[in-house]
């Protein structure tokens, strides 16, 4: 799922810190904006925009953090509005709801662990590419 | 690179839906005892709300009245395969023309409603309508919507004040359900009545008559003023019951109905 790869150049300490922060940003946002999935995405997006002109290593990791948040936004938005429907609307607790919530939890948890792991590795200047998001980031983010 | 991304995307999507499908096969509702918790909440709420009415109004325990209403409920339950023990019917002395359902199968009827009914099938229709609200789980839906789930839980755990309990009681006794829920209860009531061989037409007549009376006697005709568009309802009830069987028979004998009327107190 997660691959340590050789980056095209050796990132400096300053770059490693910024790249690591892009992941930390989404972790902090999880705590701050737990019920509202959009906050996670916004936090990563703001960090991404702020680092657009940064070095390749920083941009690459900001992009990976961002694209991973986009897919989680879809999963978590459904979970969020389904729950709201149960609390305030006509929806009831069903096996489908529990099944969805557990699936969403598994995906969120996996992403959470990957985020912590990558933040630590990136801080040390180690380049980590995730399953799906790594190749996707390689398509989006090119060296200048 | 593009191909690799697409393959991984496809695998991830398949993994997500595969996990979702597999996990949805598990009976979480019974595993987490959701039904038991919901039933317990409903049971406590129903008892608590009924206690509120009992404390503020006088219950009519006249055996003729109570037994007659019980036989109406029993007959409808039998004809429609309901557990008749679930319905807890209470008769309250009041000149208000009203009947309403509380959680956990409590069904409250005011003597004013019996007095106002010109034919016993009109009363049977209203009882059928309220039983439909109970059977279709409308009561809890309405409470959750208007009072909120968290407040309902706080009522059952005793942490909510008396005012909130009164508000919940008022919501159920003097405000209508959604239009769609009312229509569903009307249509179900027609089914219940025809299954029990009771003519649903007097129920429509009752609605129609009270829709006319509503403008003249707004203070005492609660049931109708809380159930809007009575005329329209009377029409669709008649329309829906048009093709039903015509071999109708009233549940109570004429004599019992007459003595019920005589025994009424307000």
């Amino acid at each position: 799922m997660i691959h340590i790869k050789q980056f095209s150049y050796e990132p400096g300490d300053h770059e490693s810190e910024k790249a690591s922060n892009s992941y930390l940003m989404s972790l902090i946002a999880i705590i701050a904006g737990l019920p509202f999935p959009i906050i996670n995405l916004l936090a990563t997006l703001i960090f991404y925009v702020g680092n657009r002109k940064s070095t390749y290593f920083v941009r690459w990791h900001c992009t990976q953090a961002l694209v991973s948040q986009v897919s989680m936004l879809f999963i978590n938005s459904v979970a969020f509005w389904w729950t709201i429907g149960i609390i305030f609307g006509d929806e009831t607790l069903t096996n489908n709801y529990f099944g969805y919530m557990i699936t969403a939890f598994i995906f969120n948890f996996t992403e959470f662990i990957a985020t912590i792991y990558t933040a630590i590795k990136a801080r040390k200047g180690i380049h980590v590419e995730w399953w799906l998001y790594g190749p996707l980031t390689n398509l989006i983010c090119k060296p200048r | 690179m593009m191909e690799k991304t697409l393959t991984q995307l496809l695998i991830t999507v398949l993994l997500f839906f595969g996990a979702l499908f597999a996990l949805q096969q598990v009976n979480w509702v019974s595993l987490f005892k959701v039904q038991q918790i919901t039933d317990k909440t409903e049971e406590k709420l129903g008892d608590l709300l009924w206690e509120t009415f009992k404390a503020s109004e006088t219950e009519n325990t006249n055996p003729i009245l109570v037994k007659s209403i019980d036989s109406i409920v029993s007959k409808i339950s039998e004809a429609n395969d309901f557990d008749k023990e679930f319905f807890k019917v209470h008769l309250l002395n009041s000149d208000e023309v009203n009947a309403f359902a509380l959680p956990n199968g409590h069904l409250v009827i005011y003597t004013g409603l019996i007095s106002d009914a010109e034919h016993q099938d009109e009363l049977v229709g209203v009882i059928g309508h309220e039983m439909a609200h109970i059977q279709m789980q409308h009561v809890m839906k309405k409470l959750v919507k208007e009072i909120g789930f968290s407040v309902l839980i706080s009522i059952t755990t005793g942490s909510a004040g008396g005012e909130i309990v009164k508000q919940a009681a008022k919501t159920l006794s003097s405000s209508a359900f959604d239009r769609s829920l009312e229509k569903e209860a009307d249509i179900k009531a027609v089914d219940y009545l025809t299954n029990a061989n009771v003519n649903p037409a007097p129920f429509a007549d009752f609605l129609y008559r009270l829709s006319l009376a509503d403008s003249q006697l707004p203070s005492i005709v609660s049931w109708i003023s809380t159930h809007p568009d009575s005329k329209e309802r009377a029409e669709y009830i008649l329309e829906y019951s048009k093709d039903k069987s015509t071999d109708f028979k009233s549940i109570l004998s004429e004599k019992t109905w007459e003595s019920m009327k005589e025994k009424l107190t307000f």
Side-chain angles (χ1 to χ4, degrees):
Chain A
M1 294 294 268
I2 287 179
H3 297 284
I4 294 177
K5 287 197 174 171
Q6 196 62 44
F7 202 61
S8 50
Y9 65 91
E10 191 74 37
D13 192 47
H14 185 65
E15 284 179 67
S16 307
E17 192 180 345
K18 270 196 171 174
S20 173
N21 282 351
S22 65
Y23 295 101
L24 288 182
M25 200 63 190
S26 70
L27 285 186
I28 293 163
I30 285 176
I31 301 157
L34 241 192
F36 302 102
I38 188 85
I39 291 190
N40 266 348
L41 180 73
L42 283 179
T44 341
L45 186 69
I46 290 164
F47 203 79
Y48 171 79
V49 171
N51 286 299
R52 246 178 335 171
K53 294 198 170 73
S54 198
T55 59
Y56 182 40
F57 187 74
V58 177
R59 275 189 297 119
W60 198 96
H61 283 279
C62 282
T63 311
Q64 180 165 262
L66 179 72
V67 289
S68 72
Q69 285 301 323
V70 174
S71 56
M72 294 321 284
L73 175 80
F74 290 114
I75 296 176
N76 292 346
S77 294
V78 173
F80 175 70
W81 288 110
W82 200 338
T83 309
I84 291 291
I86 287 170
I87 299 173
F88 300 105
D90 291 344
E91 295 283 331
T92 50
L93 291 172
T94 56
N95 292 331
N96 284 355
Y97 172 76
F98 285 116
Y100 186 85
M101 291 311 275
I102 293 164
T103 313
F105 174 79
I106 293 168
F107 274 71
N108 272 285
F109 188 73
T110 314
E111 207 242 0
F112 188 77
I113 297 296
T115 303
I116 294 175
Y117 176 80
T118 316
I120 295 166
K121 289 287 177 192
R123 182 67 191 84
K124 291 175 187 159
I126 300 166
H127 180 64
V128 179
E129 287 193 12
W130 295 2
W131 165 270
L132 173 66
Y133 301 121
L136 194 63
T137 307
N138 281 327
L139 286 175
I140 302 167
C141 192
K142 303 279 182 209
R144 287 204 180 97
Chain B
M1 187 57 88
M2 189 68 178
E3 204 173 297
K4 188 182 173 190
T5 314
L6 284 176
T7 314
Q8 291 193 354
L9 178 70
L10 188 71
I11 294 170
T12 311
V13 170
L14 285 177
L15 202 69
F16 179 83
F17 284 103
L20 183 62
F21 179 76
L23 285 165
Q24 285 180 341
Q25 305 311 307
V26 180
N27 194 353
W28 302 105
V29 171
S30 105
L31 209 65
F32 294 146
K33 296 192 162 77
V34 172
Q35 203 51 50
Q36 283 99 314
I37 295 167
T38 316
D39 288 350
K40 267 238 157 66
T41 310
E42 192 176 336
E43 201 181 306
K44 274 190 183 172
L45 261 179
D47 295 346
L48 211 74
L49 289 171
W50 163 237
E51 292 297 326
T52 314
F53 284 102
K54 205 175 161 186
S56 60
E57 291 172 62
T58 329
E59 192 175 5
N60 191 320
T61 50
N62 183 295
I64 292 185
L65 290 170
V66 174
K67 275 189 183 153
S68 305
I69 290 175
D70 269 345
S71 19
I72 294 173
V73 174
S74 300
K75 175 79 184 176
I76 297 176
S77 301
E78 270 167 34
N80 293 281
D81 285 330
F82 302 150
D83 175 15
K84 80 172 202 273
E85 300 301 320
F86 182 67
F87 296 99
K88 293 157 269 285
V89 188
H90 312 285
L91 189 61
L92 290 179
N93 283 336
S94 170
D95 59 356
E96 252 185 65
V97 181
N98 202 4
F100 50 87
L102 298 177
N104 195 33
H106 288 277
L107 205 164
V108 181
I109 298 165
Y110 285 165
T111 47
L113 173 74
I114 304 173
S115 153
D116 211 79
E118 287 179 2
H119 191 281
Q120 58 162 300
D121 292 350
E122 296 181 2
L123 173 68
V124 178
V126 175
I127 291 176
H129 173 92
E130 295 304 329
M131 283 172 81
H133 278 315
I134 293 171
Q135 281 297 119
M136 312 301 291
Q137 314 265 326
H138 291 172
V139 183
M140 286 303 283
K141 272 187 200 163
K142 182 183 180 185
L143 276 179
V144 169
K145 204 166 178 191
E146 306 217 347
I147 312 254
F149 192 64
S150 52
V151 179
L152 288 183
I153 297 289
S154 72
I155 291 177
T156 55
T157 53
S159 56
E163 271 311 304
I164 294 172
V165 182
K166 276 185 194 154
Q167 192 202 333
K170 197 161 179 261
T171 303
L172 289 178
S173 69
S174 50
S175 72
F177 290 84
D178 282 353
R179 188 186 290 247
S180 62
L181 296 188
E182 289 298 349
K183 186 165 184 177
E184 194 180 16
D186 284 335
I187 296 297
K188 281 283 163 199
V190 173
D191 287 339
Y192 297 170
L193 262 57
T194 45
N195 286 345
N197 278 330
V198 173
N199 187 2
F203 176 42
D205 294 343
F206 176 76
L207 287 170
Y208 190 72
R209 198 174 69 246
L210 288 192
S211 75
L212 301 175
D214 188 26
S215 51
Q216 296 153 18
L217 300 161
S219 59
I220 59 163
V221 190
S222 306
W223 200 76
I224 211 72
S225 61
T226 59
H227 290 66
D229 306 316
S230 314
K231 220 171 125 181
E232 187 195 315
R233 292 174 58 201
E235 279 159 13
Y236 67 62
I237 287 171
L238 283 179
E239 178 64 31
Y240 182 71
S241 51
K242 213 165 56 182
D243 310 326
K244 305 280 175 187
S245 111
T246 47
D247 186 23
F248 295 127
K249 191 173 177 288
S250 293
I251 295 172
L252 306 172
S253 69
E254 255 333 286
K255 209 176 137 199
T256 314
W257 176 243
E258 290 303 322
S259 53
M260 266 181 90
K261 287 270 199 180
E262 282 163 20
K263 302 283 179 203
L264 289 175
T265 45
F266 301 100

